[in-house]
Amino acid sequence: MHWLSILGIGLASNLDNLGIGFSFGTRRIKIPIRSNLLIAALSTLSAYIAIRCGHLIATYTSPSFANAIGGSMIMAIGLWAIIKSLMATSRRKASNAQKSHRADQVGEVIITWKETWALGIALSLNCIASGLGAGVTGVSAWGTTISVGAFSIITIALGSSLGHQISNTVVGKYSNAIGGIILICIGIYEIII
């Protein structure tokens, strides 16, 4: 089992979540644990389905060719993430999700269920492409899925809690680019190993 790839894909697939958590944190909008779990569940499900589809593709090709295809796909996704980051550094996914919110009983602003579903679906799309590439390379579906889900929960919680303090750091501003670099490194690793 390529545990470095499993951890790397889980982290890279969820670096956007860190930036989004920062964005919510800076606006003092709480993402409760049930919302965080729903977002993670959607990401986990999409990653698992994509990895299984990748495994099916791999059954019809040789292992080295499958690794080359999967590694190239992961690298292409990483390159696209970097390009996307360079084209729109000022535009964040969370900007649309900030338009509507409600206050709970103590006056704290929290994310709505509608926002949670929209955010979860948008973030799960990141996991489909990297999951498909990972599946073609033959990484463990369960291991990668657990990694994606765990990193989703961790990155949103961390970003949300620290967002108001460090929202303007390089990590928050360039999460797409950082995730892209990680994916490119994973792609190269999968092709070589």
Side-chain angles (χ1 to χ4, degrees):
M1 179 165 38
H2 302 278
W3 64 270
L4 281 176
S5 294
I6 288 170
L7 292 175
I9 290 167
L11 177 60
S13 297
N14 289 295
L15 279 181
D16 277 355
N17 296 20
L18 186 63
I20 286 170
F22 280 133
S23 179
F24 276 81
T26 58
R27 292 167 179 84
R28 298 186 184 277
I29 298 174
K30 182 180 177 184
I31 302 175
I33 187 66
R34 65 183 183 273
S35 295
N36 196 353
L37 289 173
L38 176 60
I39 292 167
L42 292 171
S43 294
T44 300
L45 178 63
S46 65
Y48 183 77
I49 292 169
I51 292 166
R52 284 297 185 196
C53 290
H55 284 170
L56 288 174
I57 292 169
T59 59
Y60 298 104
T61 62
S62 70
S64 60
F65 185 65
N67 280 347
I69 292 172
S72 298
M73 288 173 66
I74 292 170
M75 288 173 59
I77 295 160
L79 183 61
W80 173 245
I82 292 170
I83 292 169
K84 187 169 72 169
S85 176
L86 292 174
M87 288 174 25
T89 56
S90 63
R91 193 173 46 169
R92 305 291 307 149
K93 282 185 181 179
S95 63
N96 290 336
Q98 304 299 323
K99 292 180 181 175
S100 62
H101 54 271
R102 62 182 175 87
D104 66 6
Q105 293 79 2
V106 295
E108 186 175 37
V109 179
I110 61 173
I111 188 173
T112 66
W113 274 110
K114 183 178 178 182
E115 291 171 322
T116 300
W117 276 97
L119 192 58
I121 290 169
L123 291 172
S124 70
L125 294 178
N126 288 343
C127 300
I128 292 174
S130 55
L132 185 62
V136 171
T137 64
V139 298
S140 164
W142 286 111
T144 306
T145 301
I146 291 168
S147 177
V148 166
F151 276 112
S152 176
I153 293 168
I154 291 167
T155 53
I156 286 181
L158 179 65
S160 180
S161 67
L162 301 177
H164 68 281
Q165 297 174 10
I166 54 176
S167 64
N168 294 322
T169 64
V170 171
V171 175
K173 287 182 177 180
Y174 301 108
S175 61
N176 276 338
I178 294 168
I181 291 167
I182 292 171
L183 286 173
I184 288 172
C185 292
I186 291 168
I188 292 170
Y189 172 80
E190 287 297 332
I191 290 171
I192 294 172
I193 299 301

